[in-house]
Amino acid sequence: MLKRVFTALLLISFILSGLYLWLILPLNWQTVSSKETPGGKWIAYHLQSGSEAGEAPYGDHIVLASSYWPLGQYYGEVVFAGYCGNSLGYQWLDTHQLQLDCVGEKVMKRPDTFKGVQIKYQIVDKAPHNKPPQLTQ
């Protein structure tokens, strides 16, 4: 009897976890695009937050995850968070270098490296009307 109750509880928790992963978690995020490294080890995902979730609520995020990791866009590492409007671009320069380009108002997170991947940034801050844009790296 105890074995059946334990099995039922385990099955119910597995089903609820699956429903959370497949139905609820993606509601806050839109996957805009993804790009795999030339060697196939990493995938960079461009996500946009649709809520207060994330390091840049309602903003842009670049997430790095191992290519073999299922749902990597939700469980990878955020390597960029900010507000780029429609101008966020990214590309792999090689297996260990990722280039990000953003014309935006505010950057919340931008580490230089993640697990051996060097991240290069070309960020142009939107300036007030009386100042020219400034390039930061």
Side-chain angles (χ1 to χ4, degrees), residues 9-66:
L9 288 174
L10 188 61
L11 183 62
I12 289 171
S13 65
F14 181 74
I15 290 170
L16 291 176
S17 297
L19 287 173
Y20 174 77
L21 287 174
W22 293 103
L23 298 176
I24 296 171
L25 186 62
L27 291 178
N28 291 331
W29 298 96
Q30 176 189 2
T31 302
V32 177
S33 63
S34 64
K35 296 179 182 178
E36 193 170 328
T37 58
K41 182 177 180 181
W42 298 100
I43 298 179
Y45 297 94
H46 175 194
L47 301 178
Q48 287 184 326
S49 172
S51 68
E52 295 291 324
E55 297 184 41
Y58 299 99
D60 294 296
H61 297 74
I62 296 290
V63 175
L64 282 185
S66 294

Side-chain angles (χ1 to χ4, degrees), residues 60-123:
D60 294 296
H61 297 74
I62 296 290
V63 175
L64 282 185
S66 294
S67 59
Y68 61 84
W69 191 254
L71 300 173
Q73 67 265 42
Y74 304 118
Y75 296 107
E77 178 68 23
V78 175
V79 296
F80 174 82
Y83 300 93
C84 300
N86 295 323
S87 71
L88 180 61
Y90 64 107
Q91 64 180 346
W92 289 100
L93 302 176
D94 62 36
T95 303
H96 300 290
Q97 288 188 341
L98 179 65
Q99 171 78 40
L100 281 88
D101 302 303
C102 171
V103 176
E105 298 172 0
K106 191 172 185 181
V107 174
M108 309 299 282
K109 181 178 184 178
R110 58 181 248 180
D112 293 328
T113 60
F114 172 71
K115 292 192 177 182
V117 175
Q118 182 183 14
I119 304 153
K120 296 183 174 189
Y121 300 92
Q122 290 290 327
I123 299 178

